[in-house]
Amino acid sequence: MNIMDFNVKKLAADAGTFLSRAVQFTEEKLGQAEKTELDAHLENLLSKAECTKIWTEKIMKQTEVLLQPNPNARIEEFVYEKLDRKAPSRINNPELLGQYMIDAGTEFGPGTAYGNALIKCGETQKRIGTADRELIQTSALNFLTPLRNFIEGDYKTIAKERKLLQNKRLDLDAAKTRLKKAKAAETRNSQLNSARLEGDNIMVNFSYMLNFLHVKWLKIWAEEVTKSEQELRITQSEFDRQAEITRLLLEGISSTHAHHLRCLNDFVEAQMTYYAQCYQYMLDLQKQLGSFPSNYLSNNNQTSVTPVPSVLPNAIGSSAMASTSGLVITSPSNLSDLKECSGSRKARVLYDYDAANSTELSLLADEVITVFSVVGMDSDWLMGERGNQKGKVPITYLELLN
């Protein structure tokens, strides 16, 4: 029963406080009550914190869009994060493109120029996809997480203390208003009762009663003024204390900026590593594609001219542009001459090749083998010989030696 009484009293007190704050806030908006202004330094700190919160949210959201353009994937990751569960691993766009290229190259045939190029491109795209995954993980850990911790942690604490400061200010201004009204009422009552006593000389029987009421009212309003003054001192002390707490929290915004600056440097470094990796992967791919013969024989036995873009001089050193001494790139006329003659030639293998069946010969990059033509063989193939091993080899994997 005592606990219930205490809860009822506390509820009534809280309701009275809320009503008092609501009245004070409304009167301030209507211009009927005075408002205690915060000092300029505290106002500046509050403005700085609000500005930091707004821009941090915008930067964080746009970074998430940059790292994960798919909104459905972002929503899924958000749900898993709120459920405190790890999101399932999904293949990203470069990895998916790379897998399609590899599958297409395998279907067209690794021994064909186009099929082999697709496989090489697919492998590079997969490496780019891996680098993209590493960028997302590093950025989320070193950049997004600190920003999110500020929004969901530090700033929520600041907002809570700021709201409490606002309530303390309303309590202080309400106490000031009550004290002002109590003093005004005391003055009016004193004047009114004095006037009544002077005008009541005829009614002697009521003189004592009016005098008694006069003293009683003065005493009541004196007590009310004393109570209001005491309440004002308490609310002023609580307001000053809360203002100091809020100020100390807000001064930590400068440290937050310094921490976010370090996180920004980590993000830039992660991007730099990612783009450097992608550049190197594409440079290696361009070298591989550039080592292909400049012209290929098509699968329908017709000559197909397919120029391969050369590597830019400023991207590759002059040593990579120079051709190896004693080697010449295989041209359609050289291949035709080799097929028409019955002799054999030496050829250097450009890159590794795994035999698809027992009729083909596996190759290792940079090894030298003997090749010759066989009547009736497909135009994309020659017969290769290495010691006691013999089998078909794709033309596009070879460079004929002089």
Side-chain angles (χ1 to χ4, degrees):
M1 189 66 179
N2 293 334
I3 296 178
M4 184 177 297
D5 290 342
F6 174 76
N7 291 337
V8 171
K9 291 179 180 179
K10 185 176 184 302
L11 181 63
D14 291 342
T17 302
F18 176 79
L19 181 61
S20 175
R21 291 170 179 171
V23 171
Q24 178 66 27
F25 182 79
T26 303
E27 289 180 350
E28 288 177 358
K29 291 298 181 181
L30 296 176
Q32 299 176 357
E34 296 181 358
K35 176 182 177 181
T36 300
E37 298 294 339
L38 302 177
D39 63 85
H41 178 60
L42 186 57
E43 286 284 5
N44 183 48
L45 291 176
L46 288 171
S47 176
K48 184 178 181 180
E50 183 67 20
C51 181
T52 302
K53 178 250 185 182
I54 292 174
W55 285 110
T56 300
E57 282 183 334
K58 290 183 178 181
I59 292 173
M60 183 178 68
K61 290 179 179 178
Q62 193 56 39
T63 304
E64 291 174 344
V65 173
L66 173 67
L67 298 177
Q68 178 51 267
N70 188 345
N72 294 329
R74 292 200 302 274
I75 293 175
E76 181 182 0
E77 292 173 355
F78 175 79
V79 172
Y80 275 100
E81 181 182 353
K82 292 303 179 183
L83 295 176
D84 197 18
R85 295 177 59 186
K86 184 178 179 181
S89 178
R90 73 169 63 83
I91 188 171
N92 55 31
N93 291 331
E95 291 174 334
L96 184 61
L97 174 60
Q99 188 60 50
Y100 285 164
M101 286 183 170
I102 292 174
D103 293 343
T106 303
E107 183 73 19
F108 297 150
T112 63
Y114 182 46
N116 185 265
L118 279 173
I119 292 175
K120 295 295 182 183
C121 291
E123 292 172 348
T124 300
Q125 290 297 330
K126 279 197 166 186
R127 285 194 289 269
I128 292 176
T130 301
D132 185 68
R133 193 182 300 276
E134 293 174 354
L135 171 65
I136 293 175
Q137 294 175 349
T138 303
S139 301
L141 179 63
N142 297 334
F143 186 61
L144 289 179
T145 299
L147 297 186
R148 188 176 292 109
N149 289 340
F150 168 74
I151 296 297
E152 298 179 357
D154 295 347
Y155 188 79
K156 279 190 175 181
T157 302
I158 291 175
K160 179 181 177 181
E161 297 299 331
R162 180 178 182 177
K163 182 178 180 181
L164 190 56
L165 176 63
Q166 173 72 359
N167 291 336
K168 296 299 182 182
R169 186 197 62 76
L170 290 173
D171 292 341
L172 173 62
D173 290 338
K176 289 180 178 179
T177 302
R178 282 193 294 271
L179 177 60
K180 184 177 180 181
K181 290 180 179 179
K183 288 184 175 181
E186 181 187 30
T187 302
R188 288 197 303 271
N189 182 70
S190 178
Q191 294 174 351
L192 180 61
N193 281 295
S194 297
R196 283 183 177 180
L197 287 174
E198 292 173 0
D200 263 352
N201 293 329
I202 301 176
M203 302 179 64
V204 179
N205 293 331
F206 291 98
S207 178
Y208 177 77
M209 182 179 295
L210 293 175
N211 186 51
F212 173 79
L213 292 175
H214 168 66
V215 174
K216 193 71 175 177
W217 278 108
L218 288 178
K219 184 177 180 181
I220 291 174
W221 283 111
E223 292 177 353
E224 184 66 22
V225 170
T226 302
K227 181 181 178 181
S228 298
E229 289 176 344
Q230 183 180 2
E231 183 180 0
L232 177 61
R233 287 193 295 270
I234 294 174
T235 54
Q236 182 70 57
S237 175
E238 291 179 348
F239 171 77
D240 294 340
R241 178 175 176 275
Q242 185 59 38
E244 181 65 17
I245 293 174
T246 306
R247 183 185 63 79
L248 291 175
L249 284 174
L250 292 172
E251 287 177 347
I253 291 295
S254 298
S255 300
T256 299
H257 285 186
H259 178 54
H260 288 180
L261 175 59
R262 292 192 296 270
C263 297
L264 181 61
N265 288 332
D266 292 339
F267 177 58
V268 171
E269 184 176 351
Q271 283 188 306
M272 181 184 68
T273 301
Y274 167 72
Y275 290 120
Q277 286 178 331
C278 292
Y279 174 76
Q280 187 60 48
Y281 292 153
M282 298 310 297
L283 197 62
D284 294 341
L285 176 62
Q286 194 175 32
K287 289 179 181 179
Q288 293 177 10
L289 296 181
S291 66
F292 280 19
S294 59
N295 297 292
Y296 294 112
L297 292 176
S298 63
N299 292 335
N300 59 4
N301 296 328
Q302 296 178 352
T303 302
S304 173
V305 179
T306 310
V308 178
S310 60
V311 180
L312 295 176
N314 60 349
I316 305 178
S318 59
S319 60
M321 294 293 294
S323 60
T324 305
S325 176
L327 298 179
V328 295
I329 299 298
T330 307
S331 65
S333 60
N334 291 340
L335 294 174
S336 299
D337 294 342
L338 180 60
K339 286 183 173 294
E340 291 174 359
C341 71
S342 57
S344 60
R345 293 278 298 276
K346 293 291 184 180
R348 184 178 71 88
V349 179
L350 296 175
Y351 32 83
D352 296 347
Y353 175 73
D354 294 328
N357 51 55
S358 59
T359 65
E360 298 179 4
L361 180 66
S362 295
L363 303 174
L364 295 175
D366 294 328
E367 70 172 331
V368 178
I369 63 172
T370 302
V371 293
F372 54 92
S373 62
V374 176
V375 178
M377 182 177 291
D378 190 278
S379 60
D380 289 333
W381 297 81
L382 290 173
M383 187 61 69
E385 187 176 294
R386 180 180 57 230
N388 296 328
Q389 296 178 332
K390 185 184 296 185
K392 295 192 301 181
V393 293
I395 292 176
T396 55
Y397 279 62
L398 305 173
E399 281 182 345
L400 292 182
L401 303 181
N402 285 333

